């Protein structure tokens, strides 16, 4: 059984979390500082997906 996320995804998420804790992580268009951990994870996954990392599609309800 394969893992859901690839190594690149976990690296990007870890980097985003570290930047958030330092206070240097900013969101896309608005450029506001990110303080929510869930948002940091989303940014990390988005960056990994852009670079071709193994990230599953968004959940649909």
């Amino acid at each position: 059984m394969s893992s859901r996320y690839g190594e690149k995804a976990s690296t990007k998420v870890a980097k985003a979390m570290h930047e958030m804790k330092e206070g240097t992580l900013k969101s896309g268009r608005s450029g506001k500082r990110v303080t929510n951990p869930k948002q940091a994870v989303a940014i990390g996954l988005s960056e990994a997906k852009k670079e071709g990392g193994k990230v599953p599609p968004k959940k649909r309800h």
Side-chain angles (χ1 to χ4, degrees), residues 7-27:
E7 196 175 322
K8 182 171 284 224
S10 63
T11 306
K12 286 284 185 182
V13 169
K15 187 172 184 273
M17 289 296 283
H18 182 72
E19 285 180 18
M20 183 203 69
K21 288 175 185 175
E22 279 187 332
T24 59
L25 183 64
K26 296 191 174 152
S27 69

Side-chain angles (χ1 to χ4, degrees), residues 25-40:
L25 183 64
K26 296 191 174 152
S27 69
R29 284 187 177 204
S30 65
K32 289 183 178 178
R33 192 173 295 134
V34 174
T35 55
N36 186 348
K38 282 187 177 181
Q39 196 174 0

Side-chain angles (χ1 to χ4, degrees), residues 28-56:
R29 284 187 177 204
S30 65
K32 289 183 178 178
R33 192 173 295 134
V34 174
T35 55
N36 186 348
K38 282 187 177 181
Q39 196 174 0
V41 170
I43 290 169
L45 290 176
S46 173
E47 287 177 3
K49 193 182 256 188
K50 278 181 194 166
E51 291 183 14
K54 184 181 171 194
V55 179

